[in-house]
Amino acid sequence: MNIALRAKWCWRYGQEGNDLWKSIIESKYGGGDQNWWPRSVSMSYDKAFWKGIMNSYPKFKENISCRLGDGNRVRFWLDVWVGSETLKMRFPYIFNVSNNKLGIVSSMGTQAGADITWNFQFRRSLYDWEHAQLVELLSLLANTSFNDHQDSWRWLGNS
């Protein structure tokens, strides 16, 4: 199966609702994060259709970013949704002290009017060198806002 078709199946997995084909995949391999990211296939004996698709998944994921809507699907630290890399990679010190490493954006921020109050749920007080990253992170998030739409993907790749 060609790479473009495999990528299309990954795209459909994240964008479509509870279609029958998706329910079958999830019953056989398990559901992914936030019913959005597919779970990788780890069964070495399985030569199934979905395993072939998931072999292309890392390349697929490199070529998308997340468009923030209501914040209920985008993983705050692990998905590319602001900037060009994950917040985990850009702010490793802050990520390291957060107790909510798998949290979604809506669990990390509360919007009141036009402002969002961020709660990173630190496990300890920050050291001086970590404060600089926190200031940079808050600056990056300054123009962030939630809306009533569901989070979605944006294709970045040329191939």
Side-chain angles (χ1 to χ4, degrees):
M1 181 183 326
N2 75 35
I3 295 171
L5 184 57
R6 290 178 189 178
K8 180 65 176 178
W9 278 105
C10 291
W11 182 271
R12 286 185 64 193
Y13 184 91
Q15 299 300 320
E16 295 183 9
N18 296 320
D19 293 353
L20 178 61
W21 73 270
K22 187 174 177 180
S23 298
I24 292 169
I25 295 296
E26 289 177 349
S27 68
K28 183 165 182 162
Y29 302 109
D33 296 335
Q34 283 75 38
N35 197 28
W36 197 16
W37 300 108
R39 175 179 271 171
S40 63
V41 179
S42 59
M43 295 174 265
S44 61
Y45 61 85
D46 197 355
K47 302 293 182 198
F49 168 74
W50 193 246
K51 185 173 183 179
I53 290 171
M54 291 309 297
N55 285 338
S56 300
Y57 180 67
K59 185 70 172 167
F60 167 78
K61 194 167 180 189
E62 288 174 10
N63 287 290
I64 61 169
S65 70
C66 300
R67 183 178 293 126
L68 187 64
D70 57 14
N72 290 324
R73 296 172 94 183
V74 176
R75 296 172 300 182
F76 184 87
W77 295 108
L78 304 177
D79 292 333
V80 177
W81 64 280
V82 61
S84 59
E85 62 185 335
T86 65
L87 295 178
K88 172 187 174 183
M89 297 302 290
R90 185 159 178 188
F91 303 103
Y93 296 131
I94 303 300
F95 172 76
N96 190 41
V97 296
S98 176
N99 275 329
N100 195 2
K101 290 178 172 52
L102 301 177
I104 55 176
V105 176
S106 64
S107 73
M108 303 288 269
T110 306
Q111 187 161 0
D115 297 326
I116 297 179
T117 303
W118 296 103
N119 179 5
F120 302 115
Q121 303 170 27
F122 297 134
R123 58 183 166 82
R124 61 165 173 76
S125 298
L126 296 180
Y127 297 124
D128 290 340
W129 65 85
E130 294 165 334
H131 278 285
Q133 276 198 357
L134 179 60
V135 169
E136 185 182 347
L137 173 59
L138 290 172
S139 175
L140 182 66
L141 298 174
N143 295 323
T144 302
S145 64
F146 298 114
N147 62 50
D148 295 334
H149 301 289
Q150 188 176 53
D151 298 335
S152 59
W153 286 338
R154 176 180 313 135
W155 182 253
L156 303 173
N158 293 327
S159 57

